[in-house]
């Protein structure tokens, strides 16, 4: 193609363009242009970007409009004729309301009212699996069968009848249920045991005998919203097949008939005068006898003389916020039976009868919900029916104790009370020295595991005696007991006791050892089978006074 051809083409193109421009100018037509408005220079939210797509929007704050609707509320009047179609699904509209969504926008936090139950967190890495839904089983035909009607009073459907109080959950499936008597819950039981002891009379030359033992129990407790009454009665009788000749050569002789009866009962009442004031009352009774091998036994007795101690207490208890004050007045009387001798005669024990008057005060402060230290002081006076005993000693005395300790309850694993102090007793006879010593008292329960429980108990007391020249006996006992459940229906109990008997102002000192093992098979709530093996040892520094015995028992416990 030559130069002439290229020139001709350019001339043709220029002419075509010029002709088009002339046609445009010749034909009149309206011209539209975008108006300069405030929403262009300073756009408002929603002018160019839909409100649900704004980065500053939180999910859940924007109400979605219907599809194919116009958004004209935020546009200028000049742009209202333009159709802006809302997208059908906004961005990140399916996200939840917490955390962040796909556009990296923080979601709003859910606020809960005080006490409102919060939903559980979703299962994720490190979370436990959700609980399994129990399998739904069909209703048995017996549930749809016709049943006898229930009285409205029992069903609780009587109009105006107060709601029946729910019974507390019983942790022991084999514990007695008791009997409802009015507003009292009464539980009764009786142990019927039989066994053999190789030395029931605690003789230097052991002589064994079979025996039986019956031990009834009764416990009744009120179920009132205010005030309280608790009745606790326990007794036992042990009868032996054989009789034993009186050992005259033995330092601590025993009677021919060693059958023994024991009873320990009390009735405790509490009157709630106000919210912070309580009046405490108690009536008590104890029946027992001296132990075989005791130096209080005389030669030639036919049977053990029984003693009976009856008494009561009246006191008041006041709370001042966490500070508590308690004071009680005590009155007791002890009476001994006459000793029956093998020759048919009897000897009096009137010189051993006495009255005791005293009082006890206690101050405590609750430092923590499970820690409550206290200080306690007690004083009493003992007045005998006969001023002088059978050996001419004046046994009237006065004494008491002072101790400090604490009650505690740590996470229900260790509960109880422990204290230490000092006790003393002064006698009217100047020939009898002051009886004094260290006092230890504790009652602790340690729940080592759900199946194992350990108990520790220690007591200190001053006991009366008839030994000439001896003011009294300072007795200390320490007991450790461990209970273990192999099954809910099979329990083993191990028990060890160590004690000392100090005859002050006398060269006699006794040590007591006892080891015991029990096995309990719980057939049901009403029947238990019990087996026991026990070894008792009395070690004395007096010649012809140390004894030992082994006891084996097997029986049942009936309870309701």
């Amino acid at each position: 193609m030559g130069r002439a051809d290229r020139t001709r083409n350019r001339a043709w193109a220029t002419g075509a363009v010029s002709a088009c421009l002339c046609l445009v100018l010749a034909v009149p037509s309206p011209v539209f242009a975008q108006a300069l408005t405030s929403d262009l220079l300073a756009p408002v939210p929603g002018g160019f970007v839909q409100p649900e797509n704004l980065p500053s929007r939180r999910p859940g704050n924007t109400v979605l409009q219907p599809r194919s609707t116009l958004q004209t509320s935020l546009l200028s009047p000049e742009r209202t004729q333009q159709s802006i179609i809302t997208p059908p699904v906004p961005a990140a509209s399916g996200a939840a309301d917490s955390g962040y969504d796909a556009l990296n926008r923080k979601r709003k936090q859910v606020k809960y009212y005080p006490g409102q139950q919060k939903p559980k967190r979703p299962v994720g890495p490190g979370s436990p699996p959700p609980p399994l839904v129990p399998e739904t089983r069909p209703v048995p035909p017996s549930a749809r069968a016709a049943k006898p009607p229930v009285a409205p009073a029992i069903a609780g459907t009587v109009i105006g009848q107060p709601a029946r109080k729910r019974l507390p959950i019983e942790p022991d499936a084999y514990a007695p249920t008791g009997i409802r008597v009015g507003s009292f819950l009464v539980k009764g039981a009786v142990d019927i045991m039989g066994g053999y002891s190789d030395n029931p009379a605690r003789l230097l030359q052991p002589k064994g005998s079979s025996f039986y033992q019956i031990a009834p129990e009764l416990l009744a407790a009120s179920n009132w919203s205010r005030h309280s009454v608790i009745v606790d009665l326990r007794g036992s009788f042990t009868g032996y097949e054989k009789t034993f000749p009186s050992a005259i050569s033995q330092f601590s002789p025993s009677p021919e008939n060693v059958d023994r009866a024991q009873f320990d009962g009390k009735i405790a009442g509490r009157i709630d005068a106000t919210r912070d004031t309580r009046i405490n009352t108690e009536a008590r009774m104890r029946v027992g006898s001296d132990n075989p091998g005791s130096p209080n036994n005389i030669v030639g007795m036919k049977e053990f003389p029984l003693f009976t101690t009856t008494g009561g207490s009246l006191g008041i208890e006041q709370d001042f916020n966490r500070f508590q004050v308690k004071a009680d007045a005590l009155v007791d009387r002890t009476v001994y039976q006459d000793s029956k001798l093998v020759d048919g005669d009897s000897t009096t024990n009137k010189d051993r009868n006495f009255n005791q008057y005293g009082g006890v005060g206690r101050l405590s402060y609750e430092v923590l919900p499970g820690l409550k230290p206290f200080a306690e002081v007690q004083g009493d006076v003992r007045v005998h029916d006969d001023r002088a005993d059978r050996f001419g000693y004046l046994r009237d005395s006065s004494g008491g104790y002072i101790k400090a300790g604490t009650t505690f309850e740590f996470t229900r694993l260790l509960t109880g009370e422990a204290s230490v102090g000092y006790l003393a007793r002064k006698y009217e006879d100047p020939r009898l020295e002051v009886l004094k010593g260290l006092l230890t008292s504790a009652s602790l329960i340690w729940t080592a595991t759900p199946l194992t429980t350990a108990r520790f108990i220690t007591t200190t007391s001053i006991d009366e005696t008839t030994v000439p020249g001896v003011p009294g006996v300072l007795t200390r006992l320490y007991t450790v007991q461990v209970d273990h459940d192999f099954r809910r229906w099979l329990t083993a109990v191990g028990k060890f006791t160590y004690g000392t008997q100090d005859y002050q102002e006398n060269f006699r000192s006794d040590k007591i050892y006892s080891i015991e093992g029990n096995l309990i098979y719980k057939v049901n709530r009403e029947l238990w089978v019990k087996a026991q093996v026990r070894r008792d040892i009395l070690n004395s520094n007096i010649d012809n006074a140390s004894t030992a015995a082994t006891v084996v028992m097997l029986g049942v416990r009936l309870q309701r």
Side-chain angles (χ1 to χ4, degrees), residues 172 451 482-494 518-522 528-529 531:
D172 188 357
L451 302 177
V482 179
D483 300 358
H484 181 75
D485 295 334
F486 296 103
R487 293 291 187 271
R488 301 181 66 183
W489 43 267
L490 185 62
T491 303
V493 180
N518 296 268
L519 189 63
I520 303 175
Y521 172 60
K522 304 175 182 179
W528 292 3
V529 179

Side-chain angles (χ1 to χ4, degrees), residues 313-541:
S313 62
L314 176 64
I316 187 172
E317 188 175 355
Q318 178 68 39
D319 294 339
F320 301 94
N321 200 354
R322 295 187 177 184
F323 185 70
Q324 186 180 89
V325 179
K326 182 179 180 182
D328 294 312
L330 312 175
V331 178
D332 294 280
R333 174 166 176 79
T334 301
V335 178
Y336 280 82
Q337 291 181 343
D338 294 342
S339 299
K340 297 181 180 181
L341 305 180
V342 293
D343 57 2
D345 198 0
S346 64
T347 178
T348 182
N349 289 315
K350 187 178 180 181
D351 58 340
R352 303 183 66 181
N353 302 340
F354 66 92
N355 297 328
Q356 178 173 304
Y357 311 95
V360 57
R362 181 166 180 161
L363 304 177
S364 59
Y365 183 79
E366 187 178 10
V367 180
L368 298 173
L371 185 64
K372 193 173 184 179
F374 67 88
E376 184 174 310
V377 60
Q378 185 263 356
D380 64 74
V381 176
R382 295 179 181 178
V383 181
H384 289 73
D385 292 356
D386 292 342
R387 187 179 180 187
D389 66 0
R390 65 194 66 180
F391 298 104
Y393 288 90
L394 306 180
R395 292 287 178 179
D396 293 347
S397 63
S398 61
Y401 65 81
I402 182 172
K403 66 179 180 178
T406 181
T407 61
F408 44 82
E409 179 181 347
F410 297 136
T411 66
R412 300 299 301 173
L413 297 180
L414 182 62
T415 60
E417 175 180 313
S419 61
V420 62
Y422 183 82
L423 79 169
R425 177 164 296 279
K426 182 179 180 180
Y427 291 84
E428 184 179 345
D429 197 319
R431 294 174 295 175
L432 302 177
E433 298 292 336
V434 177
L435 185 60
K436 56 187 176 181
L438 179 67
L439 180 149
T440 57
S441 176
S443 178
L444 308 177
I445 300 177
W446 175 39
T447 306
T449 67
L451 302 177
T452 305
T453 303
R455 292 176 172 85
F456 176 73
I457 301 174
T458 174
T459 59
T460 304
S461 62
I462 294 179
D463 302 326
E464 295 286 329
T465 183
T466 59
V467 178
V470 178
V473 183
L474 182 61
T475 304
R476 297 187 179 94
L477 295 177
Y478 308 90
T479 302
V480 178
Q481 178 178 323
V482 179
D483 300 358
H484 181 75
D485 295 334
F486 296 103
R487 293 291 187 271
R488 301 181 66 183
W489 43 267
L490 185 62
T491 303
V493 180
K495 185 177 179 180
F496 175 76
T497 300
Y498 170 75
T500 60
Q501 291 182 330
D502 185 11
Y503 294 80
Q504 293 193 359
E505 304 304 325
N506 191 286
F507 51 87
R508 176 165 181 169
S509 178
D510 297 343
K511 294 182 180 180
I512 301 172
Y513 305 90
S514 178
I515 184 170
E516 176 183 325
N518 296 268
L519 189 63
I520 303 175
Y521 172 60
K522 304 175 182 179
V523 181
N524 50 43
R525 288 183 179 269
E526 289 78 25
L527 177 62
W528 292 3
V529 179
K530 303 174 64 176
Q532 180 185 112
V533 177
R534 188 178 76 246
R535 176 69 174 176
D536 299 331
I537 300 175
L538 173 64
N539 188 3
S540 178
N541 60 349

Side-chain angles (χ1 to χ4, degrees), residues 52-55 57 91-92 100-105:
E52 61 270 14
N53 293 332
L54 288 175
R57 180 189 70 86
Y100 295 88
D101 61 4
L103 299 180
N104 200 26
R105 298 174 299 190

Side-chain angles (χ1 to χ4, degrees), residues 97-382:
D97 292 338
S98 61
Y100 295 88
D101 61 4
L103 299 180
N104 200 26
R105 298 174 299 190
K106 187 175 182 180
R107 305 164 184 169
K108 63 180 180 180
Q109 301 294 331
V110 181
K111 296 183 179 180
Y112 300 94
Y113 294 102
Q116 182 179 1
Q117 185 178 3
K118 298 180 180 180
K120 297 182 179 179
R121 300 182 61 181
V123 178
S127 301
L132 298 178
V133 179
E135 181 182 357
T136 304
R137 296 184 178 182
V139 179
S142 59
R144 298 189 297 268
K147 296 182 180 180
V150 180
I154 302 299
T157 58
V158 178
I159 300 177
Q161 179 183 0
R164 296 177 64 89
K165 182 179 294 185
R166 288 182 174 271
L167 296 177
I169 299 177
E170 180 63 51
D172 188 357
Y174 291 89
T177 57
I179 302 174
R180 293 281 178 179
V181 180
S183 59
F184 283 80
L185 177 61
V186 181
K187 295 183 179 181
V190 57
D191 291 346
I192 304 175
M193 310 287 289
Y196 181 84
S197 175
D198 64 351
N199 191 11
R202 304 303 190 265
L203 302 175
L204 296 179
Q205 301 295 330
K207 180 181 179 182
S209 173
S210 59
F211 67 93
Y212 66 92
Q213 184 181 83
I214 300 176
E217 300 176 8
L218 178 65
L219 177 63
S222 63
N223 189 19
W224 303 332
S225 59
R226 294 186 59 192
H227 316 304
S228 172
V229 174
I230 298 178
V231 180
D232 189 1
L233 308 177
R234 303 173 186 271
S236 67
F237 178 81
T238 305
Y240 290 87
E241 177 190 4
K242 300 179 181 179
T243 58
F244 305 90
S246 179
I248 301 178
S249 61
Q250 188 167 341
F251 189 85
S252 300
S254 295
E256 289 186 352
N257 186 359
V258 294
D259 295 348
R260 301 182 63 190
Q262 293 182 347
F263 175 79
D264 191 0
K266 66 177 181 179
I267 302 176
R270 188 193 74 241
I271 302 175
D272 299 329
T274 64
R275 186 191 66 174
D276 299 326
T277 305
R278 294 169 295 278
I279 300 176
N280 301 320
T281 61
E282 182 180 281
R284 51 187 173 268
M285 180 178 181
R286 183 188 175 195
V287 178
S289 62
D290 292 326
N291 295 323
S294 172
N296 296 328
N297 298 329
I298 62 176
V299 179
M301 288 193 307
K302 184 177 180 180
E303 59 186 11
F304 287 113
L306 298 178
F307 69 84
T308 303
T309 300
T310 57
S313 62
L314 176 64
I316 187 172
E317 188 175 355
Q318 178 68 39
D319 294 339
F320 301 94
N321 200 354
R322 295 187 177 184
F323 185 70
Q324 186 180 89
V325 179
K326 182 179 180 182
D328 294 312
L330 312 175
V331 178
D332 294 280
R333 174 166 176 79
T334 301
V335 178
Y336 280 82
Q337 291 181 343
D338 294 342
S339 299
K340 297 181 180 181
L341 305 180
V342 293
D343 57 2
D345 198 0
S346 64
T347 178
T348 182
N349 289 315
K350 187 178 180 181
D351 58 340
R352 303 183 66 181
N353 302 340
F354 66 92
N355 297 328
Q356 178 173 304
Y357 311 95
V360 57
R362 181 166 180 161
L363 304 177
S364 59
Y365 183 79
E366 187 178 10
V367 180
L368 298 173
L371 185 64
K372 193 173 184 179
F374 67 88
E376 184 174 310
V377 60
Q378 185 263 356
D380 64 74
V381 176
R382 295 179 181 178

